[in-house]
Amino acid sequence: MASVKRKSIESQQEDHPLPPPQKQLREDNSNNNSRSSKIIGHGEAVACLHDVSYPGNYVPPFSSITQTQKDSKPAKEFPFTLDPFQSEAISCLDSGQSVMVSAHTSAGKTVVALYAIAMSLKNQQRVVYTSPIKALSNQKFREFKEEFSDVGLMTGDVTIDPNASCLVMTTEIWRSMQYKGSETTREVAWIIFDEVHYMRDRERGVVWEESILMAPKNARFVFLSATVPNAKEFADWVAKVHQQPCHIVYTDYRPTPLQHYIFPSGGEGLYLVVDEKAKFREDSFQKAVNALVPKVEGEKKRENGKWQKGLNVSRLGEESDIFKMVKMIIRRQYDPVILFSFSKRECEFLAMQMAKMDLNQDDEKANIETIFWSAMDMLSDDDKKLPQVSNMLPLLKRGIGVHHSGLLPILKEVIEILFQEGLIKCLFATETFSIGLNMPAKTVVFTNVRKFDGDKFRWLSSGEYIQMSGRAGRRGIDDRGVCILMVDEKLEPSTAKMMLKGSADSLNSAFHLSYNMLLNQMRCEDGDLENLLRNSFFQFQADRALPDLEKQAKVLEEERNSMVIEEEENLKNYYDLIQQYKSLKKDVRDIVYSPKHCLSYLQSGRLVCIQCTESDDKSPSFLIEDLVTWGVIVNFDRVKGVSDVDVDDAIRKPENANYTVDVLTRCVVTKDGVAKKKIKVVPLTEHGEPLIVSIPIDQINILSSARLYMSKDLLPLEVRENTLKQVSEFLSRKPSGLPMDPEGDMNIQSSSYKKAVRRIEALEHLFEKHEIAKSPLIKEKLKVLHTKQELTARIKLIRKSMRSSTALAFKDELKARKRVLRRLGYITSDDVVELKGKVACEISSADELTLTELMFNGVLKDIKVEEMVSLLSCFVWQEKLQDAAKPREELDLLFTQLQDTARRVAKIQLECKVQIDVENFVSSFRPDIMEAVYAWAKGSKFYEIMEITKVFEGSLIRAIRRLEEVLQQLIEAAKSIGETELEAKFEEAVSKIKRDIVFAASLYL
Amino acid sequence: MRGIEISLNQTQKIRLQRALKQLESLYLRANFNASVTVADTIPVSNEDTILKGHGTSERDGEVVATLCGVVERVNKLVYVRTLRARYKPEIGDIIVGRVVEVAQKRWKLEINFSQDAVLMLSSMNLPDGIQRRRTALDELNMRSIFEENDVVCGEVRNFQNDGGIQLQARSQKYGKLEKGQLLTIPPYLVKRQKHHFHHLEHYGVDLILGCNGFIWVGELVEARDCIEEDQLNNTEQQFTKSNTTKEMPLETRRSICQIANAIRVLSILGFNVTLEVILETIDLSRTLNLGIDEMLGPEFHVLVAEREAERRTSMTKRKG
């Protein structure tokens, strides 16, 4: 694959490594270079990187030159000067070639999309614009509609003018259109994928890959993405699978530079950590960390390591951090501000703390009220009384807003509009606000530096930070954007740097197989699953990693082979013996000094022999004897594990808990950096301070039978020094330290202990025989051998991962999944799709296998419509509710039926060697909203069903909308099997749930 | 032997009868009691709810067949699979049809179904391969793509509200079929398979087994999927046009006739027409050194029937 690299900052003299389409490109080059250098002349470093990926053996078409000349007049002109990256991308479009634009959210990627649309409309071609989110599609539809009139919209909820030349849709819709062979696929010249970095989404990412792979051969693409470091890789892939050149325009440029501040919790001020020139300021970072007010001990205990420090309720009379923060922002006129937090509840909670603040003038208040009520006008009177609606207005009037997915869609949209109008000064939002339509603020605040990702609270990734901080700074209004990080725990400078200045997340494939995809591919004559897998981005990335791995393995192998050791065989033998000996010793230690046996001997004053801290972590010692030292036990303590909540239980079984022993011994303390101290245990004879250290129980080497008299107060240095002196004296008299006899003194009678001891004796015998042990350089030799062994192990690991990636990815899984489909009778042994398979083909918004089985088992047939809707709700509800009430009996019965079916499906999958956790799969169907949906289908008002469940309004609405999508798919499915009664039933169900506020049209339409 | 009309002498008749009986006995073992005629009651247990699929209806609390055929059950779904019936399209079927009318933005195709199928202009790739909206000019030039009586191949895309079907031509390999034979056989002899397009490079022949019983045997056409070629300019287009008028070699013509005759024999005997069986039949004729015309003679029919009987018996034996 040849490539032409061209950096705008660099001069024209750069050598081009043999670009295939020489003439045209060079012409193009000089043009652009002069243009961009002109801009640089103005003193603004707005660099962008332009690169082209060509497919293998690509021959440039002759026609393209004439085409560019013909289209000399731009399809669309903009009232402002374009940034270099924009004009660069547009010049690619003009030459009729695909382009991938990777830039920050605020940089203005939409310009490129607009140009592509204008160009297609001019050429009477169709253009498809896909976005990952329905709400975003709605917004874009409105934006494009104002610009060009010939625009249509297709989302799962609404379809407007599907015959328009420019179609805005969600990526899922576009995929299913391609499977169905819609007319649009034959008329579309340009396909715009917005936010294409969604491709790394674990669940939905595969949709992008499928859509790109199936796209018509002659179509051209515009990919708009957040900054991704591997944009080139992505473009290479597109070039390869579509056999067309694909340009990359990459820029890090932000129209408004950012300043990053840290706000230490409990502190007073802001500390500038990264300035607008992207320089990290160590000194002020240090000041910020030091200004962190440590929590009161009692409070810390109460919280027990919980994360919700941001939620710290203000103590009596004191203002909460968040309140102080907002006040400061307003005072410094840093508003409007977006405050990001990572949960819906936290979002609302923080907004509630602002209750005392009023940020709006009277005329603004009146404005808000009119806008609000004119939007709410489309709701019925009952719905207007919903608590969420009525509670929101007073908050909004004071200039404070909340934005998260739990809100009613209509409220969310009103808030977006008010925010854009500048009527909301302070918006509490979740991460979802950071993608999509340009809604910048002057300031962005991160209320937390950790985010819960399903199983733990981890640091924010730099990619997430970049995405969210992209909302800071309004182009043309602010000269700089402000990012404030609220920090409430000690932060390493490296962590902070990683977060604030790290690179964007790279675009990695999240490809996976689904039954729906398999069936759809098998159903169509051209479908070739193996080909799809081979062409997937996943496979592409795996193939690409291969040479790298190969190189690594080669380097390591060379290194290994270069190490020559004399008498290697002999030495190896000795090495193995040592390893064996060590592991046996450890076994013995584990038995003797398990808490069960030794707890009763850990009295204070007992002498103890412990292992020294390894001086160098990399090379463990190879001596038969470990480096040990002596100390005195002071105390022992049980480690409070996370799991043992029940204290009584833990006390009953002391042997299962973890213990640490506090030992007084000689240590060396080294200060590493600022925050962390390193304590090293050293032998008694060396220099160091007498200190008490906590060590895990398994570091005890020997317990002595002797005990010292110890002073109660060990605080004074002299006392500790004296105690250690006593230890030394004792040891000089009794060098062995009078170890306790495990069998005699400690009464250990386990057979495994005896066996291990016998084997140690045998080994010790062998050591003596070994001649090599007497060799003078034995220590060094062993060290070399050890590194060599490690290298071998690493090479093995690399080879293994190479083997797995040379094979076609997912090949085994594909086989397994086909086996499942055959077992369940969805396809024949010749891969011809059967009746059941045709039904499952139609279902893409719910688990296709379980739902199809349910349908063919007649479950949906003999229940009432409301019950059916309620049952189907289990397929679309994914959130976990902790204390949801069980649904009534007849619904619960249905749910059990569903679970049985799901379990059967999962078990068959497991038997066919598909990797699946049966119980996890079964519990992925949640009955939490069955009652609410039942009531909704019965005709209840929305406020009534909100009283039934404790879920967020927005979540419920989303679930019901998705339910309607599933029903529409089921109607198609029923049609294909000729079951007219069932079809009618699904139709009835749709008409029952599709009403009122749940399906209220978007304000953007 | 019903429906087989070939003049046979006495021994041939007996041999054919024996072979067919053998085949029948194999079939009978499979499912006999499940066959129904119109108005037969289909037995279902009353406790379970059932789903009533195609060819069934409910009368007085009983499930009644509305078609002749075999009752099939998939879990709780009951439907009747017809044995001999008109073609019934399903989405994704590959079919071959003949243009009967050029209408507004669409062609109407005879496809052996109760209604003519519709192929929209927009469901076709344009000959120049450019992705764009269809214009009035394109509409005027529709006859340059397909005319009346052209043979066209397509894929069933979806059902219209009136039960008619819409076709689509997904890629370049669909479309007009030229220089070959169109055979019409009973559609139930074509089973749905993974592939219906067969490029027999060995014979230089393209074989399309349309699910609707229309079978195309024609000259091998290179699949034009290369983009560069699609974007050809006028000179190249003329070049391909002249290319199509080129004489077809005699050998290819013979192969086409041979394959067509093999299919004819199979359909007369009422055997399923699959690529495998067709190739076997041709091999048989070649080993016997039969002329193409002789393939339609009575002796070859009998031989094919005997062979098929033998093959299926051995197959069931292997299975059993």
Side-chain angles (χ1 to χ4, degrees):
Chain A
M1 224 168 271
S3 80
V4 192
K5 224 173 208 169
R6 172 149 46 101
K7 248 181 211 169
S8 308
I9 327 171
E10 283 167 31
S11 61
Q12 291 98 316
Q13 291 108 302
E14 194 187 347
D15 275 29
H16 302 299
L18 288 176
Q22 293 203 337
K23 195 177 162 208
Q24 190 224 334
L25 247 146
R26 201 160 282 161
E27 226 176 68
D28 201 88
N29 262 354
S30 48
N31 259 343
N32 287 322
N33 272 347
S34 58
R35 210 186 311 160
S36 20
S37 52
K38 206 163 73 195
I39 289 163
I40 291 160
H42 284 177
E44 217 181 326
V46 277
C48 84
L49 199 74
H50 184 173
D51 210 338
V52 195
S53 299
Y54 292 103
N57 55 46
Y58 170 75
V59 189
F62 304 104
S63 54
S64 58
I65 296 175
T66 48
Q67 208 179 336
T68 35
Q69 282 165 354
K70 198 169 63 199
D71 290 354
S72 53
K73 195 180 169 291
K76 182 173 167 57
E77 279 170 9
F78 295 93
F80 45 88
T81 354
L82 293 178
D83 286 337
F85 88 92
Q86 288 167 335
S87 50
E88 197 78 9
I90 283 172
S91 74
C92 302
L93 297 184
D94 266 335
S95 62
Q97 291 181 332
S98 299
V99 65
M100 152 113 183
V101 182
S102 178
H104 288 297
T105 328
S106 53
K109 285 171 290 192
T110 317
V111 167
V112 184
L114 284 174
Y115 192 87
I117 294 171
M119 206 168 71
S120 309
L121 292 183
K122 195 176 126 196
N123 299 342
Q124 294 207 308
Q125 292 168 318
R126 272 212 208 223
V127 55
V128 166
Y129 174 96
T130 76
S131 81
I133 296 168
K134 278 183 199 163
L136 188 59
S137 298
N138 291 341
Q139 293 164 358
K140 286 288 176 188
F141 169 71
R142 187 189 184 86
E143 196 182 333
F144 295 156
K145 187 91 186 171
E146 277 167 12
E147 188 87 38
F148 320 97
S149 54
D150 193 8
V151 183
L153 173 72
M154 296 172 90
T155 62
D157 301 340
V158 274
T159 303
I160 298 168
D161 197 7
N163 261 324
S165 293
C166 170
L167 282 177
V168 178
M169 56 180 90
T170 53
T171 317
E172 271 83 358
I173 301 272
W174 175 232
R175 174 183 65 164
S176 69
M177 278 174 85
Q178 292 189 324
Y179 272 130
K180 292 203 177 107
S182 160
E183 289 169 12
T184 315
T185 58
R186 257 169 232 93
E187 296 179 341
V188 63
W190 288 90
I191 307 168
I192 305 166
F193 288 93
D194 201 355
E195 314 275 349
V196 77
H197 55 273
Y198 245 74
M199 205 159 122
R200 58 177 168 232
D201 188 273
R202 225 184 315 160
E203 215 172 293
R204 295 173 58 205
V206 62
V207 177
W208 272 258
E209 256 176 87
E210 276 178 87
S211 305
I212 294 169
L213 281 173
M214 285 189 303
K217 279 278 157 300
N218 291 346
R220 296 286 177 268
F221 305 93
V222 178
F223 302 105
L224 307 178
S225 135
T227 46
V228 286
N230 60 340
K232 170 79 177 150
E233 190 177 34
F234 179 82
D236 283 348
W237 172 63
V238 173
K240 185 182 158 230
V241 297
H242 277 285
Q243 289 294 307
Q244 54 168 279
C246 181
H247 297 250
I248 308 112
V249 175
Y250 179 93
T251 181
D252 265 334
Y253 161 69
R254 280 183 193 280
T256 39
L258 290 187
Q259 287 179 325
H260 304 264
Y261 292 89
I262 281 185
F263 178 87
S265 89
E268 284 304 319
L270 294 176
Y271 296 85
L272 181 65
V273 177
V274 179
D275 61 17
E276 56 262 58
K277 297 202 178 63
K279 201 175 141 267
F280 190 84
R281 299 192 171 180
E282 297 271 358
D283 52 331
S284 93
F285 176 79
Q286 230 24 270
K287 268 188 225 152
V289 172
N290 293 338
L292 202 67
V293 175
K295 282 214 189 70
V296 187
E297 199 65 18
E299 194 182 345
K300 204 175 185 178
K301 271 240 170 87
R302 183 168 49 77
E303 279 196 56
N304 202 9
K306 263 195 194 159
W307 55 282
Q308 39 176 231
K309 292 146 196 164
L311 293 185
N312 242 345
V313 190
S314 53
R315 264 156 276 140
L316 217 63
E318 207 178 307
E319 289 164 342
S320 66
D321 279 347
I322 203 85
F323 190 83
K324 273 195 279 185
M325 162 79 82
V326 174
K327 221 163 78 182
M328 174 165 43
I329 287 168
I330 302 296
R331 199 178 57 235
R332 297 195 188 182
Q333 294 189 320
Y334 279 179
D335 60 315
V337 55
I338 303 170
L339 298 102
F340 283 111
S341 61
F342 299 105
S343 88
K344 291 175 235 171
R345 305 243 175 241
E346 196 182 323
C347 220
E348 300 218 316
F349 184 83
L350 293 176
M352 286 307 143
Q353 295 185 20
M354 297 297 113
K356 281 182 270 175
M357 213 173 268
D358 192 344
L359 310 173
N360 271 348
Q361 309 295 326
D362 284 343
D363 55 329
E364 284 173 320
K365 280 184 182 162
N367 245 340
I368 288 173
E369 190 141 12
T370 14
I371 294 177
F372 186 81
W373 285 119
S374 61
M376 293 300 135
D377 214 28
M378 65 163 83
L379 298 183
S380 67
D381 286 343
D382 287 323
D383 290 337
K384 279 180 199 160
K385 285 186 208 119
L386 278 169
Q388 201 176 57
V389 176
S390 49
N391 290 345
M392 193 58 77
L393 185 59
L395 204 58
L396 293 176
K397 272 163 90 175
R398 279 185 275 117
I400 295 160
V402 178
H403 187 281
H404 57 73
S405 61
L407 291 183
L408 293 165
I410 193 162
L411 268 181
K412 227 163 86 175
E413 288 172 351
V414 167
I415 290 164
E416 283 161 15
I417 290 169
L418 290 175
F419 184 77
Q420 278 173 312
E421 295 297 322
L423 293 169
I424 289 179
K425 305 290 188 318
C426 166
L427 182 67
F428 292 87
T430 50
E431 219 178 335
T432 43
F433 193 76
S434 67
I435 45 169
L437 213 61
N438 199 16
M439 275 182 281
K442 181 169 173 101
T443 307
V444 163
V445 176
F446 296 82
T447 58
N448 224 317
V449 276
R450 283 178 188 268
K451 175 190 171 182
F452 188 70
D453 67 349
D455 41 54
K456 62 177 190 301
F457 285 94
R458 57 165 174 81
W459 297 106
L460 265 176
S461 84
S462 57
E464 287 161 342
Y465 186 85
I466 288 172
Q467 180 76 31
M468 282 185 263
S469 60
R471 285 278 176 247
R474 291 163 297 172
R475 189 173 197 167
I477 303 175
D478 307 320
D479 48 351
R480 61 200 162 87
V482 179
C483 278
I484 302 173
L485 201 54
M486 290 178 77
V487 175
D488 52 7
E489 57 189 309
K490 289 275 181 202
L491 201 59
E492 295 284 326
S494 58
T495 320
K497 247 188 214 164
M498 191 276 295
M499 206 177 338
L500 267 54
K501 294 197 62 197
S503 67
D505 299 336
S506 58
L507 186 58
N508 286 326
S509 172
F511 192 84
H512 60 87
L513 296 172
S514 75
Y515 293 103
N516 184 278
M517 169 173 149
L518 255 62
L519 288 167
N520 267 312
Q521 287 284 345
M522 277 190 255
R523 182 154 83 156
C524 99
E525 164 94 15
D526 294 339
D528 183 354
L529 271 166
E530 302 245 323
N531 202 22
L532 184 82
L533 294 186
R534 202 167 301 119
N535 280 332
S536 68
F537 190 42
F538 189 93
Q539 182 73 31
F540 185 80
Q541 288 190 311
D543 289 349
R544 181 159 278 221
L546 212 57
D548 255 11
L549 287 175
E550 177 87 33
K551 218 194 265 163
Q552 262 180 34
K554 276 243 173 73
V555 168
L556 286 179
E557 255 166 22
E558 256 166 43
E559 196 182 331
R560 186 186 62 180
N561 293 342
S562 67
M563 291 200 290
V564 184
I565 302 169
E566 302 160 36
E567 290 184 87
E568 191 168 336
E569 278 300 299
N570 221 339
L571 194 69
K572 178 118 198 314
N573 201 331
Y574 186 61
Y575 175 82
D576 288 344
L577 274 181
I578 293 177
Q579 295 290 354
Q580 223 175 339
Y581 179 73
K582 277 195 170 171
S583 82
L584 275 173
K585 273 263 181 183
K586 192 175 176 300
D587 286 351
V588 169
R589 243 195 353 251
D590 282 350
I591 296 168
V592 176
Y593 300 112
S594 64
K596 187 168 75 173
H597 288 130
C598 73
L599 272 192
S600 47
Y601 302 99
L602 297 176
Q603 304 102 328
S604 85
R606 186 176 297 280
L607 288 184
V608 67
C609 174
I610 54 176
Q611 283 164 318
C612 293
T613 321
E614 303 288 358
S615 51
D616 193 350
D617 303 41
K618 270 182 191 163
S619 56
S621 71
F622 298 98
L623 298 173
I624 304 168
E625 294 303 326
D626 288 315
L627 199 56
V628 291
T629 184
W630 287 83
V632 188
I633 293 181
V634 180
N635 199 356
F636 72 93
D637 207 354
R638 199 167 61 88
V639 179
K640 287 184 193 77
V642 195
S643 54
D644 41 46
V645 184
D646 194 348
V647 181
D648 294 330
D649 204 38
I651 284 174
R652 249 183 280 132
K653 291 187 224 155
E655 63 268 28
N656 292 342
N658 277 323
Y659 289 86
T660 57
V661 188
D662 295 340
V663 177
L664 173 66
T665 188
R666 195 168 294 279
C667 302
V668 173
V669 182
T670 43
K671 269 201 179 176
D672 179 32
V674 202
K676 225 177 166 184
K677 276 191 216 159
K678 256 196 186 161
I679 297 175
K680 243 168 70 181
V681 178
V682 295
L684 286 174
T685 45
E686 287 180 26
H687 280 289
E689 302 167 48
L691 275 182
I692 297 172
V693 286
S694 277
I695 56 166
I697 210 163
D698 57 1
Q699 267 193 25
I700 296 180
N701 243 10
I702 299 167
L703 280 177
S704 164
S705 46
R707 280 178 68 187
L708 284 179
Y709 169 75
M710 290 240 300
S711 142
K712 284 242 166 63
D713 184 18
L714 287 172
L715 267 181
L717 183 70
E718 302 91 77
V719 180
R720 282 181 278 160
E721 198 65 73
N722 275 334
T723 318
L724 281 191
K725 233 175 233 162
Q726 282 180 35
V727 176
S728 313
E729 268 168 34
F730 169 75
L731 283 173
S732 59
R733 272 183 282 127
K734 303 266 190 229
S736 73
L738 288 178
M740 282 174 109
D741 180 17
E743 276 175 272
D745 298 342
M746 291 174 77
N747 207 7
I748 292 166
Q749 309 284 347
S750 102
S751 60
S752 54
Y753 167 72
K754 281 178 188 154
K755 217 192 260 166
V757 169
R758 263 201 304 279
R759 287 191 57 198
I760 288 178
E761 273 165 20
L763 277 177
E764 273 169 348
H765 213 66
L766 279 176
F767 280 131
E768 280 163 25
K769 276 191 203 159
H770 237 286
E771 285 166 28
I772 204 151
K774 284 149 200 141
S775 142
L777 290 171
I778 183 70
K779 213 169 158 185
E780 282 71 23
K781 276 188 182 169
L782 279 173
K783 235 176 217 171
V784 175
L785 189 70
H786 180 75
T787 20
K788 198 165 175 178
Q789 296 279 342
E790 269 184 348
L791 277 178
T792 317
R794 266 170 67 195
I795 291 169
K796 234 185 198 165
L797 210 71
I798 290 173
R799 291 268 175 230
K800 201 176 155 199
S801 70
M802 269 169 68
R803 262 200 303 285
S804 62
S805 60
T806 39
L808 185 58
F810 298 107
K811 202 174 164 198
D812 293 337
E813 197 189 337
L814 177 65
K815 265 192 205 150
R817 284 189 181 243
K818 276 191 178 174
R819 227 174 285 146
V820 174
L821 291 175
R822 260 175 235 137
R823 275 273 301 269
L824 288 168
Y826 284 60
I827 56 172
T828 65
S829 48
D830 309 323
D831 288 357
V832 179
V833 178
E834 294 248 55
L835 196 65
K836 263 172 141 182
K838 285 186 177 158
V839 167
C841 263
E842 304 288 345
I843 299 164
S844 56
S845 299
D847 186 77
E848 53 274 28
L849 291 193
T850 314
L851 191 48
T852 310
E853 287 299 308
L854 216 56
M855 184 163 153
F856 273 92
N857 285 338
V859 177
L860 301 182
K861 181 74 181 283
D862 57 346
I863 51 177
K864 283 196 236 90
V865 178
E866 293 84 10
E867 288 170 345
M868 181 182 76
V869 175
S870 161
L871 180 63
L872 291 176
S873 75
C874 306
F875 283 89
V876 295
W877 184 255
Q878 275 141 349
E879 278 174 51
K880 254 191 190 145
L881 277 186
Q882 290 302 336
D883 44 357
K886 258 182 109 158
R888 74 184 74 172
E889 202 176 326
E890 59 260 40
L891 294 183
D892 199 39
L893 217 63
L894 283 175
F895 181 63
T896 326
Q897 255 176 312
L898 164 65
Q899 280 186 316
D900 289 345
T901 313
R903 190 164 290 122
R904 201 166 55 82
V905 168
K907 273 192 180 142
I908 287 176
Q909 294 191 45
L910 196 66
E911 281 164 25
C912 295
K913 299 204 176 71
V914 174
Q915 287 184 347
I916 187 170
D917 183 341
V918 176
E919 284 314 310
N920 233 342
F921 180 74
V922 173
S923 57
S924 70
F925 298 97
R926 313 281 318 162
D928 304 339
I929 58 164
M930 281 182 92
E931 277 292 342
V933 173
Y934 183 81
W936 181 249
K938 274 261 184 217
S940 302
K941 295 266 184 283
F942 192 72
Y943 71 88
E944 288 168 350
I945 69 165
M946 279 319 299
E947 283 161 11
I948 302 174
T949 50
K950 274 183 238 153
V951 301
F952 272 110
E953 287 83 346
S955 312
L956 189 59
I957 286 182
R958 234 171 315 123
I960 296 178
R961 284 185 179 178
R962 187 145 166 228
L963 184 58
E964 196 255 353
E965 238 170 75
V966 174
L967 281 169
Q968 293 289 3
Q969 291 163 0
L970 282 170
I971 289 173
E972 287 303 311
K975 242 183 218 160
S976 70
I977 59 170
E979 174 44 293
T980 41
E981 280 173 44
L982 204 54
E983 193 186 322
K985 199 168 174 179
F986 291 134
E987 303 256 16
E988 191 192 341
V990 170
S991 67
K992 283 202 165 176
I993 62 166
K994 202 167 181 179
R995 61 189 167 83
D996 295 350
I997 188 170
V998 174
F999 286 86
S1002 161
L1003 290 178
Y1004 289 105
L1005 305 180
Chain B
M1 277 198 59
R2 182 170 42 108
I4 300 177
E5 287 165 14
I6 27 177
S7 53
L8 300 159
N9 63 31
Q10 203 54 42
T11 34
Q12 282 171 338
K13 207 176 236 168
I14 291 168
R15 276 166 62 201
L16 182 59
Q17 261 167 349
R18 199 195 301 141
L20 290 180
K21 203 161 259 168
Q22 200 178 346
L23 283 169
E24 225 166 278
S25 67
L26 288 172
Y27 180 70
L28 283 184
R29 224 179 291 155
N31 49 355
F32 174 67
N33 46 8
S35 57
V36 286
T37 61
V38 176
D40 275 1
T41 310
I42 299 170
V44 284
S45 69
N46 288 329
E47 295 129 45
D48 289 343
T49 44
I50 57 141
L51 301 164
K52 298 183 294 295
H54 294 295
T56 62
S57 180
E58 199 170 322
R59 268 298 138 84
D60 307 328
E62 282 190 322
V63 182
V64 174
T66 58
L67 291 169
C68 295
V70 181
V71 177
E72 295 274 348
R73 288 162 202 267
V74 181
N75 298 16
K76 295 282 168 58
L77 175 76
V78 176
Y79 70 96
V80 178
R81 179 170 58 87
T82 53
L83 293 174
R84 292 182 172 219
R86 207 174 246 287
Y87 169 62
K88 193 179 141 302
E90 280 179 31
I91 294 174
D93 280 355
I94 305 294
I95 58 169
V96 177
R98 195 184 276 280
V99 177
V100 289
E101 192 186 332
V102 180
Q104 254 206 334
K105 289 187 187 169
R106 71 197 70 199
W107 293 275
K108 289 202 169 155
L109 277 79
E110 153 62 19
I111 56 156
N112 202 14
F113 178 46
S114 51
Q115 301 179 42
D116 287 339
V118 169
L119 176 62
M120 298 295 290
L121 173 60
S122 50
S123 303
M124 262 301 294
N125 283 314
L126 288 176
D128 53 3
I130 290 178
Q131 300 265 343
R132 59 173 166 81
R133 303 209 75 169
R134 285 13 172 193
T135 58
L137 194 68
D138 290 321
E139 218 174 306
L140 288 174
N141 290 333
M142 274 176 69
R143 278 209 169 72
S144 69
I145 304 177
F146 305 135
E147 286 181 314
E148 282 86 350
N149 289 330
D150 274 351
V151 179
V152 171
C153 138
E155 181 188 321
V156 178
R157 192 183 124 197
N158 62 349
F159 292 91
Q160 287 170 324
N161 289 334
D162 60 354
I165 58 168
Q166 269 204 29
L167 300 182
Q168 61 165 333
R170 254 182 213 274
S171 60
Q172 293 291 336
K173 73 176 179 185
Y174 298 86
K176 189 159 164 177
L177 302 170
E178 281 175 306
K179 293 200 286 184
Q181 290 190 20
L182 177 69
L183 302 168
T184 315
I185 64 168
Y188 53 84
L189 294 180
V190 182
K191 287 279 163 291
R192 293 193 170 90
Q193 274 166 317
K194 186 88 194 89
H195 292 289
H196 289 265
F197 283 85
H198 301 288
H199 302 287
L200 310 174
E201 274 162 40
H202 180 60
Y203 298 100
V205 168
D206 261 352
L207 175 66
I208 303 172
L209 301 170
C211 291
N212 56 341
F214 284 17
I215 291 177
W216 177 258
V217 192
E219 193 191 10
L220 188 71
V221 191
E222 291 297 320
R224 286 167 294 159
D225 48 54
C226 199
I227 313 159
E228 270 74 46
E229 209 183 325
D230 294 336
Q231 291 172 331
L232 36 77
N233 43 30
N234 289 338
T235 50
E236 265 180 281
Q237 206 158 21
Q238 271 152 15
F239 174 69
T240 38
K241 271 216 177 114
S242 64
N243 199 15
T244 49
T245 50
K246 213 176 63 188
E247 277 291 296
M248 196 196 301
L250 186 64
E251 193 47 44
T252 317
R253 286 165 188 259
R254 292 175 65 88
S255 296
I256 289 174
C257 292
Q258 216 165 25
I259 292 169
N261 278 351
I263 295 166
R264 283 193 185 99
V265 171
L266 291 170
S267 90
I268 289 170
L269 290 168
F271 294 160
N272 279 346
V273 175
T274 62
L275 179 67
E276 197 190 359
V277 180
I278 294 170
L279 290 181
E280 266 177 31
T281 313
I282 293 169
D283 283 347
L284 182 68
S285 84
R286 290 209 168 169
T287 48
L288 292 171
N289 228 347
L290 289 178
I292 295 168
D293 53 327
E294 285 170 303
M295 284 175 79
L296 294 177
E299 177 64 21
F300 189 66
H301 279 91
V302 176
L303 277 172
V304 170
E306 278 176 342
R307 226 187 112 96
E308 181 70 7
E310 209 176 292
R311 193 179 68 96
R312 289 206 202 163
T313 325
S314 69
M315 239 165 64
T316 30
K317 262 184 199 155
R318 220 181 307 142
K319 266 188 202 161

